[in-house]
Amino acid sequence: MSFDQPAQFLQIDHFLANEDRLNLLEYVLDREADFVPTSTATGDLDYRKSWILYHFEAYENWMIQKITPFLPRLFDAWKIEPFAISQIEIQLTAHNDGHYYKIHNDNGSPDAATRTISYVYYFNREPTNFSGGALRLYDMRIENGHYVQAETYRDIQPVNNRIVFFPSHCLHEVLPISCRSRNFADSRFTLNGWVRREATEYV
């Protein structure tokens, strides 16, 4: 027996005050030299292309404080039993010309198994100088108690100052980006990460 489950997500526009967004953008642009190419757990060189900043202490706790108040709303909307949070992870990523991330979920490996809620906050310089880069969230087909990819999906555009939350088990991808200038400052920037539950809840 199988049936499709529509992709669950919460989209919020105008997430940050304009001054906060501009300060974040300035912070990122000042650290262009610190971004490095991304990788995947499998080491596949053709699965993900983007740049990442691993250390940005000034915004790690700040962004977590912005995200946390929305969690009860997600628990209620998605019928998730409230859980003890062990960690809220965060990354700072830049996508430029030709970058992408193929279909994956965020909790498919043993070290990521406790990731429960994923989030992506989009920001960029205005006017926007890239195209593409939508987040494609796939509906899920449940077969024999397991989630598999359905043929249907929802594309969420990377609109400046938008945040999207979705369950970490959902299959998704970042569609290819086109950025004619190839300038770092014209990239599609994201603060993205995962809310982890306590590992003991999986025992």
Side-chain angles (χ1 to χ4, degrees):
M1 179 180 180
S2 66
F3 59 93
D4 288 356
Q5 175 179 301
Q8 295 175 307
F9 67 94
L10 173 66
Q11 171 185 303
I12 302 170
D13 291 341
H14 312 295
F15 183 66
L16 296 181
N18 194 51
E19 181 179 2
D20 288 340
R21 181 185 62 80
L22 292 174
N23 287 340
L24 172 60
L25 182 60
E26 181 179 6
Y27 178 89
V28 169
L29 297 183
D30 286 344
R31 286 158 180 77
E32 176 180 356
D34 298 326
F35 279 75
V36 297
T38 50
S39 60
T40 62
T42 62
D44 189 337
L45 299 179
D46 193 33
Y47 209 81
R48 179 186 188 187
K49 288 187 178 180
S50 55
W51 299 314
I52 189 168
L53 180 66
Y54 282 107
H55 303 292
F56 48 100
E57 292 84 356
Y59 277 95
E60 289 177 354
N61 290 331
W62 179 86
M63 192 62 178
I64 288 170
Q65 291 171 4
K66 298 289 185 182
I67 291 166
T68 303
F70 289 91
L71 297 183
R73 180 176 171 183
L74 300 177
F75 295 156
D76 182 63
W78 299 341
K79 305 296 187 291
I80 296 175
E81 189 70 25
F83 56 83
I85 296 171
S86 65
Q87 182 184 12
I88 298 180
E89 297 175 282
I90 189 166
Q91 293 182 344
L92 219 169
T93 309
H95 286 81
N96 203 272
D97 193 58
H99 287 176
Y100 59 86
Y101 198 166
K102 295 181 181 179
I103 299 174
H104 64 286
N105 62 26
D106 290 337
N107 61 1
S109 61
D111 64 337
T114 58
R115 291 175 177 172
T116 305
I117 295 172
S118 300
Y119 64 90
V120 186
Y121 170 71
Y122 301 103
F123 63 105
N124 58 265
R125 192 165 66 167
E126 294 182 323
T128 301
N129 289 312
F130 66 85
S131 60
L135 170 67
R136 177 163 290 180
L137 284 176
Y138 287 89
D139 297 334
M140 304 296 287
R141 182 179 295 274
I142 302 176
E143 295 183 352
N144 300 319
H146 298 284
Y147 289 108
V148 298
Q149 178 187 335
E151 295 181 1
T152 51
Y153 53 81
R154 172 69 179 269
D155 284 350
I156 300 173
Q157 300 303 320
V159 173
N160 195 14
N161 205 18
R162 167 179 288 174
I163 193 168
V164 180
F165 298 89
F166 58 93
S168 297
H169 67 260
C170 288
L171 289 167
H172 58 284
E173 64 179 312
V174 176
L175 300 183
I177 287 91
S178 175
C179 180
R180 291 186 177 182
S181 74
R182 299 191 176 181
N183 291 332
F184 177 81
D186 291 333
S187 297
R188 166 196 182 273
F189 296 109
T190 63
L191 274 170
N192 57 283
W194 311 274
V195 180
R196 286 184 180 259
R197 67 170 72 218
E198 293 285 354
T200 55
E201 298 192 22
Y202 275 82
V203 175

